[in-house]
Amino acid sequence: MFRKSYSYSSVSEPQSSGCCGGSCRCLTRIPYATLIATVLCCTGVGIFLGSFYRGISLTLRTFEEVFLFKFDWLMDLHIVFIIIGSVMGAFSLILLLVGFLATGATRERIYRGFKSRIGGRVSCAFFMGLTYILELVWLMVFVSLVLITFVFTVWWGMCNNLKYESNPENKCIDLKPLGFLFPNNTDVNLLRICDEGKQKNFCKDCVEPSEVLFIVALVASFLVVLSLVHYLMCLSANYARIKDNEKFQELQELQYLQDTEMGTLSKDRF
């Protein structure tokens, strides 16, 4: 009786774990939570890099023309953004692969042995630590963007006040109260913009479009932070599933043997 039930389970297991029986079995192998986090992460990083790079470029160009600043060390800024995008994209794809390996019947096949379970738990713990560090980095980016957006909002308010100023002598943009944002060797006279050409360059060409771009970058960075939180939850769940996979397999085998044995006994009665 025991031999028949064991041989039946060994034959039927590959059939139940395959995708030939229908699309429903394939759908159970998709890590939906990790997939949603990957979409959020890739979308947020892409929007952040595009909007923030454009905003920084407009700001640097305006500072060079209006305040006579030169940022030679930021000429290769686009390379830094490409590296950030590549690292975050590769990281999200790796976490998506980890999610696929730890979901459904794929987990039961991959992490069947003792060494494979140890490797899976170590990899999940490593990526949890790395994700936590990236979470702190992107939180600092989010806070920095909040401050940058606030400064540009104040500057845009100064630009709007010029439209309602009746005295021509007071139609100047005074940035002296925000002088701490500029280098120490900045000429104080440059912080008071009275020339109409420079005002247009500062307000229309820099502050107005950059404020919108930084707001978009702020929302995108929030999406990245949210996706990293999702990754932490998924990795924690995958760690627990891999750890308890052996116990679940033993319980399933015992349950199957008991059901088969009880079914055989009920048939023998008749």
Side-chain angles (χ1 to χ4, degrees):
M1 183 185 301
F2 178 77
R3 291 182 180 179
K4 290 183 180 180
S5 61
Y6 182 78
S7 62
Y8 179 77
S9 63
S10 62
V11 173
S12 61
E13 184 178 359
Q15 295 178 356
S16 60
S17 61
C19 291
C20 299
S23 59
C24 294
R25 296 175 182 175
C26 294
L27 293 177
T28 57
R29 299 187 179 189
I30 299 176
Y32 293 101
T34 308
L35 184 61
I36 293 173
T38 303
V39 173
L40 288 176
C41 183
C42 294
T43 303
V45 170
I47 296 175
F48 169 81
L49 294 179
S51 58
F52 190 72
Y53 177 77
R54 180 59 178 168
I56 288 294
S57 299
L58 291 174
T59 304
L60 295 180
R61 186 180 64 184
T62 303
F63 272 43
E64 291 179 359
E65 296 176 356
V66 177
F67 304 106
L68 304 179
F69 292 156
K70 290 185 178 180
F71 302 92
D72 296 332
W73 56 281
L74 291 176
M75 294 301 293
D76 297 330
L77 186 64
H78 62 283
I79 299 178
V80 177
F81 280 84
I82 292 174
I83 294 174
I84 294 174
S86 302
V87 170
M88 291 301 298
F91 181 73
S92 61
L93 292 178
I94 291 174
L95 293 185
L96 182 61
L97 178 61
V98 173
F100 271 106
L101 294 178
T103 303
T106 307
R107 179 182 67 250
E108 298 176 359
R109 286 195 172 189
I110 298 297
Y111 301 110
R112 185 178 295 272
F114 176 76
K115 293 183 179 180
S116 61
R117 287 194 296 272
I118 293 296
R121 292 167 60 185
V122 170
S123 62
C124 287
F126 171 76
F127 285 117
M128 276 193 291
L130 188 58
T131 305
Y132 186 79
I133 295 174
L134 289 176
E135 178 76 19
L136 295 178
V137 172
W138 279 98
L139 279 176
M140 290 188 293
V141 171
F142 178 78
V143 174
S144 301
L145 279 172
V146 170
L147 297 177
I148 293 174
T149 305
F150 174 76
V151 171
F152 272 82
T153 302
V154 173
W155 286 353
W156 180 237
M158 293 180 179
C159 293
N160 286 332
N161 289 335
L162 295 177
K163 301 177 182 179
Y164 306 100
E165 186 64 42
S166 59
N167 190 359
E169 296 181 358
N170 294 332
K171 285 190 175 182
C172 294
I173 301 176
D174 191 5
L175 301 179
K176 293 180 182 179
L178 299 176
F180 62 92
L181 298 175
F182 298 88
N184 295 328
N185 56 354
T186 304
D187 189 1
V188 180
N189 297 324
L190 294 176
L191 299 180
R192 185 176 175 84
I193 307 173
C194 298
D195 185 68
E196 293 183 0
K198 290 186 177 181
Q199 288 179 359
K200 178 182 179 300
N201 193 357
F202 180 76
C203 295
K204 295 294 182 181
D205 300 336
C206 175
V207 175
E208 183 177 357
S210 296
E211 183 186 10
V212 178
L213 291 171
F214 286 135
I215 291 175
V216 174
L218 179 65
V219 177
S221 64
F222 176 76
L223 290 179
V224 177
V225 172
L226 185 62
S227 67
L228 291 174
V229 173
H230 282 205
Y231 278 133
L232 284 175
M233 293 188 295
C234 295
L235 288 171
S236 301
N238 292 335
Y239 181 88
R241 289 175 181 175
I242 294 173
K243 180 180 179 180
D244 298 334
N245 188 43
E246 182 180 6
K247 297 179 181 179
F248 290 151
Q249 288 182 352
E250 293 178 353
L251 290 175
Q252 288 178 356
E253 290 179 359
L254 289 175
Q255 183 66 32
Y256 179 78
L257 291 175
Q258 290 178 358
D259 294 341
T260 305
E261 185 175 351
M262 291 299 295
T264 306
L265 291 175
S266 62
K267 291 179 180 180
D268 291 341
R269 292 179 180 178
F270 296 100

